[in-house]
Amino acid sequence: VVSWTAMISAYSQNGECKQARELSLEMDVQGVKLDKVALVSILDVCAELAELELGKAIHANLVDSGLELDVVMENALVNMYSKCRSLNDARCMFDKMCQRDVVSWTTMITVYMQNGHCMEGLELFRQMNLKGVKPDKIAFISILDA
Protein backbone atom coordinates (compact mmCIF):
# COMPACT_ATOMS: atom_id res chain seq x y z
CA VAL A 1 0.00 0.00 0.00
CA VAL A 2 2.85 2.38 0.82
CA SER A 3 4.30 2.23 -2.71
CA TRP A 4 0.90 2.73 -4.32
CA THR A 5 0.11 5.65 -2.04
CA ALA A 6 3.49 7.24 -2.69
CA MET A 7 2.89 7.05 -6.43
CA ILE A 8 -0.64 8.48 -6.14
CA SER A 9 0.63 11.32 -3.96
CA ALA A 10 3.52 12.03 -6.32
CA TYR A 11 1.23 12.15 -9.35
CA SER A 12 -1.25 14.36 -7.51
CA GLN A 13 1.35 16.80 -6.20
CA ASN A 14 2.83 17.16 -9.68
CA GLY A 15 -0.47 17.96 -11.35
CA GLU A 16 -0.88 14.52 -12.87
CA CYS A 17 -4.26 13.85 -11.25
CA LYS A 18 -5.60 11.70 -14.07
CA GLN A 19 -2.67 9.30 -13.69
CA ALA A 20 -3.25 9.29 -9.94
CA ARG A 21 -6.92 8.43 -10.49
CA GLU A 22 -6.02 5.63 -12.91
CA LEU A 23 -3.53 4.22 -10.42
CA SER A 24 -6.13 4.30 -7.65
CA LEU A 25 -8.56 2.40 -9.89
CA GLU A 26 -5.82 -0.14 -10.62
CA MET A 27 -5.30 -0.58 -6.87
CA ASP A 28 -8.96 -1.49 -6.59
CA VAL A 29 -8.72 -3.98 -9.48
CA GLN A 30 -5.64 -5.55 -7.88
CA GLY A 31 -7.50 -5.87 -4.56
CA VAL A 32 -5.09 -3.64 -2.67
CA LYS A 33 -6.67 -2.62 0.63
CA LEU A 34 -6.46 1.14 1.03
CA ASP A 35 -5.23 2.71 4.24
CA LYS A 36 -6.18 6.17 5.52
CA VAL A 37 -3.25 7.90 3.83
CA ALA A 38 -4.14 6.37 0.47
CA LEU A 39 -7.79 7.30 0.89
CA VAL A 40 -6.97 10.93 1.71
CA SER A 41 -4.67 11.09 -1.33
CA ILE A 42 -7.36 9.65 -3.59
CA LEU A 43 -10.00 12.03 -2.19
CA ASP A 44 -7.63 14.92 -2.95
CA VAL A 45 -7.36 13.66 -6.54
CA CYS A 46 -11.17 13.49 -6.78
CA ALA A 47 -11.29 17.08 -5.53
CA GLU A 48 -8.78 18.31 -8.09
CA LEU A 49 -10.56 16.53 -10.94
CA ALA A 50 -14.04 17.42 -9.62
CA GLU A 51 -14.89 13.71 -9.75
CA LEU A 52 -17.96 13.85 -7.51
CA GLU A 53 -19.28 10.37 -8.32
CA LEU A 54 -15.93 8.71 -7.62
CA GLY A 55 -15.59 10.73 -4.42
CA LYS A 56 -19.08 9.70 -3.31
CA ALA A 57 -18.27 6.06 -4.07
CA ILE A 58 -15.12 6.27 -1.94
CA HIS A 59 -17.11 7.92 0.86
CA ALA A 60 -19.73 5.15 0.68
CA ASN A 61 -17.00 2.50 0.78
CA LEU A 62 -15.52 4.19 3.84
CA VAL A 63 -18.86 4.10 5.61
CA ASP A 64 -19.50 0.48 4.58
CA SER A 65 -16.02 -0.62 5.68
CA GLY A 66 -16.60 0.56 9.23
CA LEU A 67 -13.25 2.37 9.12
CA GLU A 68 -13.27 5.08 11.75
CA LEU A 69 -12.99 8.49 10.16
CA ASP A 70 -10.57 10.90 11.78
CA VAL A 71 -10.48 14.67 11.34
CA VAL A 72 -7.97 14.44 8.47
CA MET A 73 -10.20 12.07 6.50
CA GLU A 74 -13.29 14.12 7.27
CA ASN A 75 -11.51 17.30 6.16
CA ALA A 76 -10.56 15.54 2.91
CA LEU A 77 -14.23 14.65 2.37
CA VAL A 78 -15.40 18.23 3.06
CA ASN A 79 -12.72 19.49 0.67
CA MET A 80 -13.64 16.97 -2.01
CA TYR A 81 -17.35 17.80 -1.84
CA SER A 82 -16.64 21.53 -1.87
CA LYS A 83 -14.30 21.39 -4.87
CA CYS A 84 -16.87 19.27 -6.68
CA ARG A 85 -19.36 22.10 -6.05
CA SER A 86 -21.57 19.91 -3.87
CA LEU A 87 -22.09 22.46 -1.12
CA ASN A 88 -24.90 20.56 0.59
CA ASP A 89 -22.78 17.41 0.84
CA ALA A 90 -19.83 19.45 2.11
CA ARG A 91 -21.96 21.07 4.79
CA CYS A 92 -23.57 17.75 5.74
CA MET A 93 -20.11 16.20 6.20
CA PHE A 94 -18.96 19.24 8.18
CA ASP A 95 -22.02 19.04 10.44
CA LYS A 96 -21.42 15.33 11.11
CA MET A 97 -17.84 15.88 12.25
CA CYS A 98 -17.31 15.06 15.93
CA GLN A 99 -14.12 17.08 16.01
CA ARG A 100 -13.32 20.12 13.87
CA ASP A 101 -9.97 21.83 13.55
CA VAL A 102 -9.08 25.14 11.94
CA VAL A 103 -8.81 23.40 8.55
CA SER A 104 -12.38 22.12 8.85
CA TRP A 105 -13.77 25.55 9.68
CA THR A 106 -11.66 27.40 7.12
CA THR A 107 -12.56 25.00 4.32
CA MET A 108 -16.27 25.40 4.92
CA ILE A 109 -16.03 29.19 5.34
CA THR A 110 -14.03 29.47 2.10
CA VAL A 111 -16.55 27.31 0.25
CA TYR A 112 -19.39 29.58 1.25
CA MET A 113 -17.52 32.78 0.46
CA GLN A 114 -16.31 31.59 -2.95
CA ASN A 115 -19.80 30.51 -3.93
CA GLY A 116 -21.59 33.71 -3.01
CA HIS A 117 -23.03 32.51 0.32
CA CYS A 118 -21.39 35.28 2.32
CA MET A 119 -23.88 35.33 5.19
CA GLU A 120 -23.38 31.60 5.82
CA GLY A 121 -19.62 32.06 5.67
CA LEU A 122 -19.71 34.97 8.12
CA GLU A 123 -21.96 32.99 10.45
CA LEU A 124 -19.54 30.06 10.41
CA PHE A 125 -16.66 32.43 11.09
CA ARG A 126 -18.60 33.73 14.11
CA GLN A 127 -19.32 30.18 15.30
CA MET A 128 -15.67 29.23 14.88
CA ASN A 129 -14.67 32.12 17.14
CA LEU A 130 -17.34 31.20 19.70
CA LYS A 131 -15.96 27.64 19.78
CA GLY A 132 -12.52 29.03 20.57
CA VAL A 133 -10.92 27.99 17.29
CA LYS A 134 -8.33 30.56 16.27
CA PRO A 135 -8.77 31.57 12.60
CA ASP A 136 -5.81 31.16 10.29
CA LYS A 137 -4.71 33.53 7.52
CA ILE A 138 -6.82 31.73 4.94
CA ALA A 139 -9.99 32.19 7.01
CA PHE A 140 -9.28 35.91 7.34
CA ILE A 141 -8.54 36.27 3.63
CA SER A 142 -11.78 34.47 2.75
CA ILE A 143 -13.77 36.79 4.96
CA LEU A 144 -12.01 39.92 3.69
CA ASP A 145 -12.47 38.92 0.06
CA ALA A 146 -16.23 38.90 0.57
Side-chain angles (χ1 to χ4, degrees):
V1 173
V2 173
S3 298
W4 290 87
T5 303
M7 288 297 298
I8 289 169
S9 294
Y11 278 138
S12 178
Q13 291 170 4
N14 288 294
E16 302 292 336
C17 292
K18 289 184 180 180
Q19 285 87 345
R21 181 191 62 211
E22 293 303 317
L23 191 57
S24 71
L25 296 173
E26 181 63 25
M27 284 177 75
D28 189 45
V29 169
Q30 296 290 329
V32 177
K33 183 140 175 89
L34 303 174
D35 62 9
K36 289 181 180 184
V37 175
L39 288 165
V40 168
S41 295
I42 294 167
L43 286 169
D44 286 344
V45 168
C46 292
E48 291 305 314
L49 294 174
E51 293 265 356
L52 180 60
E53 294 310 311
L54 180 58
K56 282 186 171 187
I58 292 168
H59 188 184
N61 287 340
L62 281 170
V63 171
D64 292 344
S65 74
L67 186 66
E68 187 175 329
L69 300 181
D70 60 18
V71 71
V72 173
M73 292 181 74
E74 290 172 329
N75 283 342
L77 285 163
V78 171
N79 181 58
M80 183 274 300
Y81 283 124
S82 67
K83 287 190 175 177
C84 291
R85 301 254 180 195
S86 185
L87 303 184
N88 289 337
D89 288 325
R91 182 58 193 254
C92 184
M93 188 68 233
F94 178 82
D95 288 342
K96 289 180 181 178
M97 295 176 76
C98 294
Q99 177 185 354
R100 296 181 191 118
D101 61 12
V102 68
V103 173
S104 315
W105 288 97
T106 301
T107 299
M108 203 64 231
I109 290 166
T110 302
V111 167
Y112 278 135
M113 301 311 260
Q114 289 178 344
N115 287 282
H117 299 276
C118 296
M119 294 308 293
E120 290 93 336
L122 290 169
E123 176 57 25
L124 270 183
F125 187 79
R126 187 185 71 75
Q127 288 177 24
M128 179 174 73
N129 284 307
L130 290 174
K131 297 278 186 185
V133 178
K134 185 178 177 185
D136 62 5
K137 292 176 188 176
I138 296 169
F140 280 118
I141 291 169
S142 294
I143 296 297
L144 293 174
D145 279 348

